[in-house]
């Protein structure tokens, strides 16, 4: 008589050549591709929405400054309004006339890279590439963003924002 092992069965072997392992790796690969196809455009859309929200905030703040009584120091109020909206500088163009509402601190912008963005002219592949570059960039960036606020086709705003809150 021959003796068998104590359990009587062998553990299944997993090799990279087995059909089971190939299907598992292929499934993982397709899930990762699907996640990338959903995640990357979502990041781009969030970035554009964040920048457009800053345009809206800058417009509302500049309109409220125009309505402020003359007794209040406009410069201090503007600085506080734009700081709370995470905006460093604002220029508004209306009826062919451009007006600087708040100037950014030039010493802060000296060592950083300033990228110009026109939210009206961006294509979706360019927006995706820009979002990825901001996400994985280690350097400090500032954006000079130009766009029109919602419902105001005759107004064009240019704002300077830091990319750090966006990351």
């Amino acid at each position: 008589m021959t003796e068998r092992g104590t359990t009587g069965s062998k553990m299944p072997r997993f090799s990279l050549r087995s059909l089971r392992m190939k299907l598992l790796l292929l499934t993982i690969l397709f899930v990762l591709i699907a996640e990338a196809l959903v995640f990357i455009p979502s990041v781009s859309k969030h970035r554009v929405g964040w920048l457009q929200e800053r345009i809206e905030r800058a417009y509302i703040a500049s309109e409220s400054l125009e309505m402020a009584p003359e007794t209040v120091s406009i410069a201090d109020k503007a600085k506080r309004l734009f700081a709370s909206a995470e905006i460093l500088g604002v220029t508004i163009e209306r009826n062919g006339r451009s007006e600087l509402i708040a100037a950014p601190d030039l010493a802060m912008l000296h060592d950083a890279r300033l990228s110009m963005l026109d939210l009206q002219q961006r294509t979706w592949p360019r927006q995706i590439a820009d979002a990825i570059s901001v996400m994985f960039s280690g350097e400090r960036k500032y954006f000079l963003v130009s766009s029109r606020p919602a419902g105001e086709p005759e107004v064009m705003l240019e704002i300077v924002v830091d990319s750090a809150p966006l990351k």
Side-chain angles (χ1 to χ4, degrees):
M1 285 211 274
T2 61
E3 287 188 27
R4 296 177 108 192
T6 57
T7 59
S9 66
K10 292 183 177 180
M11 293 283 289
R13 286 188 46 204
F14 291 105
S15 92
L16 291 176
R17 293 182 180 176
S18 71
L19 181 61
R20 181 182 301 168
M21 190 57 81
K22 288 178 184 177
L23 284 174
L24 177 65
L25 292 175
L26 198 57
T27 302
I28 290 171
L29 176 69
F30 281 120
V31 167
L32 289 175
I33 290 171
E35 285 291 326
L37 290 175
V38 170
F39 178 72
I40 292 172
S42 174
V43 167
S44 172
K45 184 179 179 188
H46 172 73
R47 178 179 167 271
V48 169
W50 188 85
L51 292 171
Q52 187 63 41
E53 182 181 332
R54 295 302 169 274
I55 290 286
E56 299 296 331
R57 287 181 178 188
Y59 179 67
I60 291 169
S62 64
E63 288 294 307
S64 69
L65 288 173
E66 286 183 12
M67 305 290 179
E70 297 297 324
T71 58
V72 178
S73 171
I74 298 293
D76 291 338
K77 188 173 251 190
K79 192 178 247 183
R80 283 192 315 235
L81 278 172
F82 293 125
S84 69
E86 299 172 329
I87 298 167
L88 305 174
V90 179
T91 302
I92 188 167
E93 183 180 323
R94 186 180 310 167
N95 301 326
R97 199 182 86 217
S98 185
E99 180 183 355
L100 179 66
I101 305 291
D105 182 14
L106 296 178
M108 177 178 51
L109 298 176
H110 185 275
D111 296 331
R113 198 173 85 170
L114 184 67
S115 298
M116 299 178 84
L117 303 173
D118 186 355
L119 294 182
Q120 308 278 311
Q121 305 295 325
R122 294 297 228 193
T123 61
W124 67 268
R126 184 68 198 162
Q127 289 174 351
I128 289 173
D130 287 347
I132 290 172
S133 75
V134 167
M135 208 162 73
F136 294 111
S137 173
E139 66 182 337
R140 185 101 187 226
K141 286 185 181 179
Y142 293 92
F143 297 120
L144 175 62
V145 184
S146 62
S147 184
R148 299 187 186 284
E152 296 293 333
E154 72 278 354
V155 176
M156 177 64 92
L157 274 135
E158 287 184 346
I159 62 172
V160 177
V161 293
D162 188 357
S163 67
L166 184 59
K167 281 185 177 183

